[in-house]
Amino acid sequence: PSLIPFGVANALSNPTMQLFSGQTVIASNDDFGTAANLAALNASGFAPSNAFESAILATLAPGAYTAVVSGVGGLTGVGIIEVFEVDRPEAPLANISTRGQVLTGGDVMIGGFIIQGDAPQTVIIRARGPSLVPFGIANALMDPVLQLLNGQTLVETNDDWQAGPAAATIQAAGFAPGDPRESVIRITLPPGAYTAIVTGKNGTTGVGIVEVFAQ
């Protein structure tokens, strides 16, 4: 709901969230005000601005986790999922990835990330679609295009990772996608906020993944 003042008319009006470790649900929340640790959540400074929005404050062991956002009662719309490191800046996130529908216009996939500190950071950003098909995603985005922005400034773009200037380095690092139509950017960035935008080539649509890896 807090997206509406920013012009997102079809925002998801009542999101609910589950946090998984593997196939196990380890936490869930619908309406952040119902959280058992609401006082700590408010004190963290990351409580949402709308009562219908969801938040989980949790201490997690090292590993891979999945947060799933859906609409209460089957509602649909545009939503945002965010992950913030609260108390361990010396143990930063190593990888974030998001899967969702890539449509057109204002409904493309957008992934944001922040590089903290005072030193540049090398990252690999991938936009995948075709390699999802073997995992049962029949409506995968078959030709994703990736753009990286700093504010309103386009930093770099890629369509078909093998055509990019860092293709050999990406291959050697083990981050080559499983399909040549997928897109990858490897770049060293100064501290700041960045946005990765995934679209379908020639206006195509489907399910895609955007991923960011720290190097």
Side-chain angles (χ1 to χ4, degrees):
S2 60
L3 297 177
I4 294 174
F6 296 94
V8 182
N10 59 333
L12 182 63
S13 60
N14 193 355
T16 184
M17 179 166 56
Q18 294 176 300
L19 179 64
F20 288 79
S21 175
Q23 299 298 313
T24 303
V25 177
I26 59 174
S28 62
N29 179 257
D30 174 29
D31 302 343
F32 79 93
T34 64
N37 58 351
L38 177 60
L41 177 60
N42 283 328
S44 74
F46 292 107
S49 60
N50 187 284
F52 287 107
E53 295 181 325
S54 303
I56 294 170
L57 174 64
T59 299
L60 302 174
Y65 298 88
T66 303
V68 177
V69 176
S70 56
V72 173
L75 292 171
T76 62
V78 175
I80 285 182
I81 184 165
E82 304 166 303
V83 183
F84 301 95
E85 171 57 59
V86 176
D87 62 351
R88 290 290 303 280
E90 78 282 6
L93 296 169
N95 158 236
I96 56 171
S97 62
T98 302
R99 191 189 83 178
Q101 283 281 355
V102 180
L103 301 177
T104 59
D107 295 328
V108 297
M109 180 177 286
I110 301 172
F113 62 96
I114 296 172
I115 295 175
Q116 294 183 314
D118 55 10
Q121 172 73 56
T122 299
V123 296
I124 289 179
I125 309 160
R126 305 196 304 186
R128 298 193 295 126
S131 61
L132 298 177
V133 175
F135 296 95
I137 308 298
N139 60 330
L141 183 68
M142 296 311 295
D143 197 346
V145 176
L146 178 63
Q147 294 176 299
L148 177 65
L149 290 89
N150 177 217
Q152 299 297 314
T153 302
L154 180 65
V155 177
E156 191 167 330
T157 186
N158 178 255
D159 174 28
D160 303 340
W161 71 273
Q162 291 173 325
T169 305
I170 291 166
Q171 179 83 55
F175 288 96
D179 190 286
R181 292 168 291 182
E182 296 178 323
S183 302
V184 185
I185 292 172
R186 183 184 187 276
I187 190 170
T188 300
L189 299 168
Y194 298 89
T195 304
I197 298 179
V198 180
T199 57
K201 190 171 185 176
N202 298 323
T204 53
T205 61
V207 175
I209 286 182
V210 59
E211 305 167 303
V212 184
F213 301 90
Q215 294 290 282

Short mmCIF file of all heavy atoms in Angstrom, two decimals, residues 157-187:
data_model
loop_
_atom_site.label_atom_id
_atom_site.label_comp_id
_atom_site.label_asym_id
_atom_site.label_seq_id
_atom_site.Cartn_x
_atom_site.Cartn_y
_atom_site.Cartn_z
N THR A 157 24.14 -1.91 -19.55
CA THR A 157 23.04 -2.76 -19.97
C THR A 157 23.60 -4.00 -20.65
O THR A 157 24.74 -4.00 -21.13
CB THR A 157 22.09 -2.01 -20.94
OG1 THR A 157 20.95 -2.82 -21.23
CG2 THR A 157 22.80 -1.64 -22.23
N ASN A 158 22.82 -5.08 -20.64
CA ASN A 158 23.23 -6.31 -21.30
C ASN A 158 22.03 -7.09 -21.80
O ASN A 158 21.03 -7.22 -21.10
CB ASN A 158 24.07 -7.20 -20.37
CG ASN A 158 24.48 -8.51 -21.03
OD1 ASN A 158 23.94 -9.56 -20.73
ND2 ASN A 158 25.43 -8.44 -21.95
N ASP A 159 22.15 -7.60 -23.01
CA ASP A 159 21.19 -8.54 -23.57
C ASP A 159 22.02 -9.67 -24.18
O ASP A 159 22.80 -9.43 -25.11
CB ASP A 159 20.33 -7.86 -24.64
CG ASP A 159 19.42 -8.85 -25.35
OD1 ASP A 159 19.05 -9.86 -24.73
OD2 ASP A 159 19.09 -8.61 -26.53
N ASP A 160 21.88 -10.88 -23.65
CA ASP A 160 22.67 -12.04 -24.04
C ASP A 160 24.09 -11.91 -23.45
O ASP A 160 24.92 -11.16 -23.96
CB ASP A 160 22.74 -12.23 -25.55
CG ASP A 160 21.35 -12.35 -26.19
OD1 ASP A 160 20.38 -12.68 -25.46
OD2 ASP A 160 21.24 -12.12 -27.39
N TRP A 161 24.34 -12.64 -22.38
CA TRP A 161 25.54 -12.43 -21.56
C TRP A 161 26.84 -12.65 -22.33
O TRP A 161 27.85 -12.00 -22.05
CB TRP A 161 25.49 -13.33 -20.33
CG TRP A 161 25.68 -14.80 -20.63
CD1 TRP A 161 24.73 -15.71 -20.97
CD2 TRP A 161 26.92 -15.51 -20.60
NE1 TRP A 161 25.29 -16.94 -21.16
CE2 TRP A 161 26.63 -16.86 -20.93
CE3 TRP A 161 28.24 -15.15 -20.32
CZ2 TRP A 161 27.61 -17.84 -21.01
CZ3 TRP A 161 29.22 -16.12 -20.38
CH2 TRP A 161 28.91 -17.46 -20.72
N GLN A 162 26.84 -13.54 -23.33
CA GLN A 162 28.07 -13.82 -24.05
C GLN A 162 28.53 -12.65 -24.90
O GLN A 162 29.69 -12.59 -25.32
CB GLN A 162 27.91 -15.07 -24.90
CG GLN A 162 27.78 -16.34 -24.08
CD GLN A 162 27.45 -17.56 -24.92
OE1 GLN A 162 26.72 -17.46 -25.91
NE2 GLN A 162 27.96 -18.71 -24.52
N ALA A 163 27.62 -11.68 -25.14
CA ALA A 163 27.97 -10.49 -25.93
C ALA A 163 28.55 -9.38 -25.06
O ALA A 163 29.00 -8.36 -25.59
CB ALA A 163 26.74 -9.97 -26.67
N GLY A 164 28.57 -9.57 -23.76
CA GLY A 164 29.07 -8.53 -22.86
C GLY A 164 30.58 -8.52 -22.76
O GLY A 164 31.25 -9.53 -23.03
N PRO A 165 31.16 -7.41 -22.34
CA PRO A 165 32.63 -7.28 -22.28
C PRO A 165 33.28 -8.17 -21.21
O PRO A 165 34.47 -8.44 -21.29
CB PRO A 165 32.84 -5.80 -21.96
CG PRO A 165 31.57 -5.37 -21.29
CD PRO A 165 30.49 -6.17 -21.95
N ALA A 166 32.50 -8.62 -20.21
CA ALA A 166 33.06 -9.43 -19.13
C ALA A 166 32.70 -10.90 -19.24
O ALA A 166 32.80 -11.64 -18.26
CB ALA A 166 32.60 -8.88 -17.78
N ALA A 167 32.33 -11.35 -20.44
CA ALA A 167 31.84 -12.72 -20.60
C ALA A 167 32.86 -13.76 -20.13
O ALA A 167 32.51 -14.73 -19.44
CB ALA A 167 31.45 -12.97 -22.05
N ALA A 168 34.12 -13.58 -20.50
CA ALA A 168 35.15 -14.56 -20.12
C ALA A 168 35.32 -14.61 -18.61
O ALA A 168 35.46 -15.70 -18.01
CB ALA A 168 36.47 -14.23 -20.80
N THR A 169 35.31 -13.46 -17.96
CA THR A 169 35.47 -13.40 -16.50
C THR A 169 34.27 -14.02 -15.80
O THR A 169 34.41 -14.73 -14.80
CB THR A 169 35.64 -11.95 -16.05
OG1 THR A 169 36.74 -11.36 -16.75
CG2 THR A 169 35.91 -11.87 -14.56
N ILE A 170 33.08 -13.76 -16.32
CA ILE A 170 31.85 -14.35 -15.76
C ILE A 170 31.90 -15.87 -15.87
O ILE A 170 31.56 -16.59 -14.92
CB ILE A 170 30.62 -13.77 -16.49
CG1 ILE A 170 30.45 -12.29 -16.14
CG2 ILE A 170 29.36 -14.57 -16.14
CD1 ILE A 170 29.50 -11.55 -17.05
N GLN A 171 32.34 -16.36 -17.01
CA GLN A 171 32.46 -17.81 -17.22
C GLN A 171 33.47 -18.40 -16.24
O GLN A 171 33.20 -19.42 -15.59
CB GLN A 171 32.90 -18.09 -18.65
CG GLN A 171 33.08 -19.56 -18.99
CD GLN A 171 31.77 -20.22 -19.35
OE1 GLN A 171 31.06 -19.75 -20.25
NE2 GLN A 171 31.44 -21.30 -18.68
N ALA A 172 34.63 -17.77 -16.10
CA ALA A 172 35.68 -18.29 -15.23
C ALA A 172 35.26 -18.27 -13.76
O ALA A 172 35.70 -19.13 -12.98
CB ALA A 172 36.96 -17.49 -15.43
N ALA A 173 34.42 -17.32 -13.39
CA ALA A 173 33.99 -17.19 -12.00
C ALA A 173 32.86 -18.15 -11.64
O ALA A 173 32.48 -18.25 -10.48
CB ALA A 173 33.55 -15.76 -11.71
N GLY A 174 32.32 -18.85 -12.65
CA GLY A 174 31.26 -19.81 -12.39
C GLY A 174 29.87 -19.22 -12.36
O GLY A 174 28.93 -19.86 -11.86
N PHE A 175 29.69 -18.02 -12.92
CA PHE A 175 28.39 -17.37 -12.91
C PHE A 175 27.74 -17.29 -14.29
O PHE A 175 26.81 -16.52 -14.48
CB PHE A 175 28.52 -15.97 -12.31
CG PHE A 175 28.77 -15.98 -10.83
CD1 PHE A 175 30.05 -15.87 -10.32
CD2 PHE A 175 27.72 -16.11 -9.95
CE1 PHE A 175 30.29 -15.88 -8.97
CE2 PHE A 175 27.94 -16.12 -8.58
CZ PHE A 175 29.23 -16.02 -8.09
N ALA A 176 28.24 -18.07 -15.23
CA ALA A 176 27.62 -18.10 -16.56
C ALA A 176 26.22 -18.71 -16.45
O ALA A 176 26.05 -19.77 -15.85
CB ALA A 176 28.47 -18.91 -17.52
N PRO A 177 25.19 -18.06 -17.00
CA PRO A 177 23.84 -18.63 -16.95
C PRO A 177 23.74 -19.91 -17.78
O PRO A 177 24.63 -20.23 -18.57
CB PRO A 177 22.97 -17.52 -17.55
CG PRO A 177 23.79 -16.29 -17.51
CD PRO A 177 25.21 -16.75 -17.64
N GLY A 178 22.65 -20.59 -17.60
CA GLY A 178 22.45 -21.84 -18.32
C GLY A 178 21.92 -21.67 -19.72
O GLY A 178 21.76 -22.66 -20.44
N ASP A 179 21.64 -20.44 -20.15
CA ASP A 179 21.09 -20.20 -21.49
C ASP A 179 21.73 -18.93 -22.06
O ASP A 179 21.84 -17.93 -21.36
CB ASP A 179 19.57 -20.04 -21.41
CG ASP A 179 18.91 -20.04 -22.77
OD1 ASP A 179 19.03 -19.01 -23.49
OD2 ASP A 179 18.27 -21.04 -23.14
N PRO A 180 22.15 -18.94 -23.33
CA PRO A 180 22.83 -17.77 -23.90
C PRO A 180 21.94 -16.54 -24.02
O PRO A 180 22.46 -15.42 -24.18
CB PRO A 180 23.29 -18.26 -25.28
CG PRO A 180 22.40 -19.41 -25.60
CD PRO A 180 22.10 -20.06 -24.29
N ARG A 181 20.62 -16.69 -23.93
CA ARG A 181 19.72 -15.54 -24.02
C ARG A 181 19.64 -14.76 -22.71
O ARG A 181 19.10 -13.65 -22.69
CB ARG A 181 18.32 -15.99 -24.44
CG ARG A 181 18.24 -16.52 -25.86
CD ARG A 181 16.92 -17.22 -26.12
NE ARG A 181 16.83 -18.48 -25.37
CZ ARG A 181 15.80 -19.31 -25.44
NH1 ARG A 181 14.76 -19.01 -26.20
NH2 ARG A 181 15.81 -20.44 -24.73
N GLU A 182 20.16 -15.33 -21.65
CA GLU A 182 20.10 -14.65 -20.36
C GLU A 182 21.18 -13.57 -20.25
O GLU A 182 22.18 -13.61 -20.98
CB GLU A 182 20.18 -15.69 -19.25
CG GLU A 182 18.95 -16.61 -19.31
CD GLU A 182 18.93 -17.72 -18.30
OE1 GLU A 182 20.00 -18.28 -18.00
OE2 GLU A 182 17.82 -18.05 -17.83
N SER A 183 20.97 -12.63 -19.35
CA SER A 183 21.79 -11.42 -19.30
C SER A 183 22.59 -11.35 -18.00
O SER A 183 22.09 -11.72 -16.93
CB SER A 183 20.90 -10.18 -19.40
OG SER A 183 20.14 -10.20 -20.60
N VAL A 184 23.82 -10.84 -18.11
CA VAL A 184 24.69 -10.70 -16.94
C VAL A 184 25.51 -9.42 -17.07
O VAL A 184 26.00 -9.09 -18.15
CB VAL A 184 25.66 -11.90 -16.79
CG1 VAL A 184 26.46 -11.77 -15.48
CG2 VAL A 184 24.93 -13.22 -16.83
N ILE A 185 25.67 -8.72 -15.96
CA ILE A 185 26.57 -7.58 -15.86
C ILE A 185 27.54 -7.85 -14.71
O ILE A 185 27.11 -8.16 -13.59
CB ILE A 185 25.80 -6.27 -15.60
CG1 ILE A 185 24.95 -5.88 -16.81
CG2 ILE A 185 26.77 -5.13 -15.24
CD1 ILE A 185 24.01 -4.71 -16.55
N ARG A 186 28.83 -7.75 -14.99
CA ARG A 186 29.85 -7.79 -13.93
C ARG A 186 30.52 -6.43 -13.91
O ARG A 186 31.04 -5.96 -14.93
CB ARG A 186 30.89 -8.87 -14.19
CG ARG A 186 31.93 -8.99 -13.06
CD ARG A 186 33.01 -10.00 -13.40
NE ARG A 186 33.91 -10.26 -12.28
CZ ARG A 186 34.98 -9.50 -11.98
NH1 ARG A 186 35.28 -8.44 -12.75
NH2 ARG A 186 35.74 -9.79 -10.94
N ILE A 187 30.49 -5.79 -12.74
CA ILE A 187 30.95 -4.41 -12.68
C ILE A 187 31.42 -4.08 -11.26
O ILE A 187 30.92 -4.64 -10.28
CB ILE A 187 29.80 -3.45 -13.12
CG1 ILE A 187 30.30 -2.02 -13.31
CG2 ILE A 187 28.64 -3.51 -12.14
CD1 ILE A 187 29.27 -1.11 -13.98
#
